Amino acid sequence: MTASIREQEWLRQRDVLARFGELALQSDNIGEILQEACYLVGQALGTDIAKVMELQEDGTTLLIKAGVGWPTGVVGKVTVQADQGSSEGHALRTGKAVISEDIETEKRFEYAGFIRDAGVRALVNVIIIGGKDQPAYGILQVDSRVPRRFTEDDTKFLRGYANLVAAAVSRLRKVAEMRESEARLRVSEARYRALVTATSNVVYRMSPDWTEMQQLDGQGFLSDTVSPSKAWMLGYIYPDDQSQVTGSIQEAIWTRGTFDLEHRVCRADGTVGWTHSRAVPLFNQQGEITEWFGAASDVTEFKRVEAALIEGEGRLRTLMEGIPLLVWRSDGEGKWTWASPQWLEYTGQSQEESRDWGWLQAVHPDDHERARQAWHEAGTNGLLNVEFRVRRAADGNWRWHQTRSVPVRGTPEPGHPEGRTLEWLGTTTDIQDLKHLQGQQTVLLAELQHRTRNLLAVVRNVARRSIGPSPGRSQYDARLAAIGRVQGFLARSSSWSVALQELVRAELLAAGDGTSDRVTVEGPSVNLPGEEVQPMALALHELATNAVKYGAIAQPSGHLSVTWRLEGPDSAAQLVLEWRESGVAMSSGRPERQGYGTELITRALPYQLKAETHLEFTSDGVRCTIALPAGTFRNEDGRE
């Protein structure tokens, strides 16, 4: 090559460097710069084919980022693996230019199929370096469709040219990072504004050392900042809490962690309130704190309620510890969480010993199962009511106690209209003396009933001896017998009540027919208390006596049905008894005279028992309905 030709090439390369340098400084489009770099380097070296390959994050894959002279579908899509058998991989590992003068005779490397398909015969690879402490950006590869010997001047030019490309890429990367940072900042500011607008919380920003409040949006709770303030502590923090706030700030700065504190503040309206404040540090790339971002919520009402709860809890505990009962708290399974000093003193247990099921150790072993069963049923019934013996530590005696408990519920919520059960609060009361008195009362009552029955027997005997045989004497004697049967029932009952079924059958049997298939008796299990049962017994006696003499029992074609039922809601249920005779040949019209039975049913029962009664003499037999109001009977579960 003559000196003149070399000089022309040198001038052409100089011109290319100048033109590319101007473009690299003026353009902010990396795609445009890389594409022009391929075009200009082809002009400088007299080839019509070149490409820039970008190294991907895996460190071995090269993507053809820009190029000239390549078929459609190569640039931006085709990748090359920079492995050990490739010229590209060798260039990346050595950092030197790699020249292949003729790939057909080259034995060192393998070449990608698309390169051979494009008719490439010679090529040179030059690394495009990365920034400081950064991996290479990629490779500038100049190709030739004829074998070619690239000179040392060519490689020097290409290295300088590749460095210009690297500088342009580095500049544009920094520009992109700046723009991305600006965009993130704008988004962050927008989010901050949105947060301030949407939240009811106070939002604030502090300097790295907290000496200056840069911004505060008080949301009406605190006063907004007009400008950054170094006197924020005096303006916002209640004087008695300033030292605590300062200590928490110093700890957060020292640990580079979260500031989290509840403290009092001076509110916008001049009053003192409470806030829960949290702030987190923001760091730069060097790990230095640039500012603190925080939010503070108004917890004044919560603190007021909390103080009221603490005060109420104190009053409740004072009450529980002052009343002469053994008081305790438990979960829903019977596991105690607290026992009053009265329990501890009475049983000799410690607070720790009474917890969980430990309280059972103070209960008589024979009563353990009863206590556990009562707790098992309490969850369903919503009430604990059980009696068991408790050992008194002072003398070691086992004394009977009654234990009652109800659940403490929270506020109503969906699915829990009565509120969720928070705990159970109960009392255990010494009933040993009461049981003794009840025993004495039972003995006295039995004696009284015995004497009453004896007195009735005496009255009946006097009547028989004083009054000659007559229908009136027989009726009088039968009525006294009915009263005597009631007393007999009550004497045998520990609950001072009589089952309605037993009462009906007893009166039918006494009248003369309690088992006939022409008599039907049915109804739910219901008990009548002692004070209510006597008027009902007399009413049933009168109805049964009439049926035996004139009605359904007396006549072969007759049938008697005695049924009762409960009507209305549980709390206001009535007991309705129906006496219905059928198949009876009745005399025409109502009886001319109202006897004792009629007056008893239509007048005495409404007066004594507040009952609603209806007595009717139909052509088919007697009909009688007696409706007793709630409170005058007990159903099968013992409720009145």
Side-chain angles (χ1 to χ4, degrees), residues 173-184:
R173 280 182 166 178
K174 290 181 179 179
V175 170
E177 289 175 357
M178 290 177 59
R179 288 177 177 172
E180 186 178 352
S181 296
E182 290 173 355
R184 286 199 301 266

Side-chain angles (χ1 to χ4, degrees), residues 383-628:
L383 172 68
L384 175 73
N385 189 358
V386 62
E387 294 180 1
F388 48 68
R389 287 161 290 180
V390 179
R391 183 179 181 277
R392 186 166 61 185
D395 54 14
N397 289 334
W398 295 98
R399 294 180 63 84
W400 280 100
H401 284 70
Q402 182 184 51
T403 291
R404 293 177 59 88
S405 180
V406 292
V408 179
R409 302 186 186 277
T411 56
E413 58 184 68
H416 298 275
E418 296 182 352
R420 293 180 183 272
T421 299
L422 305 178
E423 65 174 348
W424 287 67
L425 183 62
T427 61
T428 297
T429 307
D430 190 329
I431 58 172
Q432 181 71 31
D433 295 339
L434 176 63
K435 275 189 168 292
H436 178 69
L437 291 175
Q438 287 176 336
Q440 291 180 327
Q441 183 184 45
T442 300
V443 172
L444 291 174
L445 184 60
E447 179 64 22
L448 176 61
Q449 290 169 342
H450 175 70
R451 294 188 180 187
T452 301
R453 291 197 304 275
N454 288 342
L455 180 60
L456 287 172
V458 170
V459 172
R460 291 178 66 187
N461 191 43
V462 170
R464 290 192 191 101
R465 293 180 178 275
S466 302
I467 304 174
S470 67
R473 192 188 78 174
S474 298
Q475 292 173 355
Y476 180 70
D477 186 68
R479 288 164 184 156
L480 288 177
I483 296 174
R485 285 191 293 275
V486 170
Q487 296 301 315
F489 278 127
L490 293 176
R492 295 190 297 272
S493 172
S494 60
S495 60
W496 185 241
S497 62
V498 178
L500 180 56
Q501 176 114 1
E502 294 183 10
L503 187 64
V504 172
R505 291 197 178 278
E507 291 308 318
L508 289 173
L509 187 63
D513 195 333
T515 59
S516 172
D517 57 5
R518 295 189 294 115
V519 177
T520 301
V521 178
E522 62 182 6
S525 176
V526 175
N527 292 333
L528 297 178
E531 59 271 20
E532 321 291 350
V533 69
Q534 186 165 294
M536 277 295 292
L538 286 173
L540 291 170
H541 167 76
E542 295 300 319
L543 289 169
T545 300
N546 183 77
V548 168
K549 288 183 177 181
Y550 314 109
I553 298 176
Q555 300 184 23
S557 61
H559 182 271
L560 171 62
S561 171
V562 185
T563 62
W564 58 92
R565 64 186 180 275
L566 299 177
E567 288 186 353
D570 290 345
S571 59
Q574 282 187 320
L575 172 62
V576 180
L577 181 142
E578 290 188 343
W579 181 286
R580 182 180 293 272
E581 298 181 24
S582 58
V584 178
M586 298 285 290
S587 59
S588 60
R590 289 179 56 88
E592 295 180 1
R593 183 180 66 85
Q594 287 192 353
Y596 173 77
T598 301
E599 290 190 5
L600 175 68
I601 293 171
T602 59
R603 299 179 63 180
L605 290 185
Y607 176 77
Q608 289 183 264
L609 305 182
K610 308 300 181 187
E612 297 177 5
T613 62
H614 178 73
L615 180 62
E616 183 180 6
F617 296 88
T618 72
S619 61
D620 197 33
V622 174
R623 305 281 195 276
C624 180
T625 302
I626 302 173
L628 296 179

Side-chain angles (χ1 to χ4, degrees), residues 261-297:
L261 184 66
E262 285 186 356
H263 59 84
R264 286 170 289 183
V265 290
C266 302
R267 298 198 289 189
D269 61 4
T271 61
V272 177
W274 278 89
T275 185
H276 181 192
S277 180
R278 286 175 57 89
V280 294
L282 304 182
F283 301 93
N284 60 18
Q285 292 183 343
Q286 289 72 41
E288 300 167 337
I289 298 176
T290 58
E291 67 174 337
W292 292 77
F293 181 81
S297 56

